[in-house]
Amino acid sequence: MNDSAVVVFTARGFDRLLSDGGSGSWVLSEKRASRCKYVVCVQNRDPADNHNDDWGSVSASHKNAFFIGKISDVVVSPEWDGSRPTRWLIKVSEYAKVAYPNMWDGARNPVAYSSLTDLGIDENDLNFNEMPDVDVKSPKIEQKEESYPDGISIQQAKILLSKKYEVSEESIEIIIRA
């Protein structure tokens, strides 16, 4: 059973998640998040993090999971301004409004990976509703060509490291353990 989940600690409330089509604007591994089945949104009401509730109309008690969505896609957030790192929107096809207290462990990173089972949530108890249709307009990401698509040789690595650290190539030793 795949009950993998991206767990996010968000200052956005229930209505904002519906109007956005999911949960964003996250710095996360797009590939890893795309492999997850669910997003679990846990409310962040800390004024230091959410600027006095003006980010997205908080709607649940602090540290309570209040929204579980079935992930349909992970796309560049419409709010992303083109700077690095890229920010992502976790799009949702269906959602369940829930109330699970104390679902945030205090981690500093607002994005974590888990499973519904590990969170103590039985997916059979969730009543899903269809998400409203939202037209998400993601900005385009300019794909930079990889400098070394096939990797680099040890000699190339020594040359690059010697330039970076301003030392001679001879003073660099590279050990590969396989």
Side-chain angles (χ1 to χ4, degrees):
M1 172 189 310
N2 176 17
D3 69 343
S4 59
V6 180
V7 184
V8 295
F9 194 44
T10 181
R12 296 186 178 174
F14 182 80
D15 291 337
R16 176 70 186 265
L17 296 175
L18 293 182
S19 69
D20 286 352
S23 182
S25 190
W26 300 109
V27 174
L28 51 71
S29 166
E30 178 257 343
K31 287 180 183 173
R32 186 171 181 189
S34 294
R35 289 192 300 263
C36 291
K37 185 174 181 180
Y38 298 103
V39 60
V40 177
C41 297
V42 178
Q43 193 71 82
N44 180 0
R45 283 185 166 261
D46 187 340
D49 293 335
N50 68 18
H51 308 287
N52 299 316
D53 300 340
D54 67 353
W55 276 2
S57 305
V58 293
S59 59
S61 298
H62 189 56
K63 295 185 179 181
N64 281 16
F66 65 98
F67 180 101
I68 298 176
K70 290 184 179 179
I71 297 174
S72 61
D73 204 357
V74 178
V75 299
V76 176
S77 172
E79 298 172 47
W80 182 57
D81 63 4
S83 63
R84 294 286 174 209
T86 305
R87 293 194 170 262
W88 301 93
L89 170 70
I90 302 168
K91 288 182 65 176
V92 172
S93 59
E94 297 177 57
Y95 70 92
K97 192 170 186 175
V98 297
Y100 293 102
N102 301 314
M103 294 299 286
W104 195 254
D105 63 6
R108 299 217 10 106
N109 188 339
V111 177
Y113 298 91
S114 188
S115 68
L116 295 186
T117 301
D118 289 345
L119 295 169
I121 299 171
D122 184 346
E123 63 186 311
N124 295 318
D125 293 341
L126 301 174
N127 296 314
F128 285 96
N129 301 293
E130 215 173 299
M131 274 294 274
D133 191 28
V134 176
D135 185 22
V136 175
K137 291 182 175 40
S138 294
K140 300 282 186 242
I141 296 180
E142 288 186 34
Q143 297 292 339
K144 291 185 180 176
E145 194 172 309
E146 243 186 270
S147 301
Y148 304 97
D150 298 323
I152 61 175
S153 69
I154 290 176
Q155 186 57 42
Q156 289 170 318
K158 286 184 173 186
I159 292 168
L160 293 171
L161 289 167
S162 71
K163 289 178 184 176
K164 168 75 176 172
Y165 295 106
E166 298 176 353
V167 297
S168 70
E169 293 171 36
E170 295 79 31
S171 65
I172 297 172
E173 292 182 31
I174 298 175
I175 299 172
I176 300 174
R177 300 186 204 282

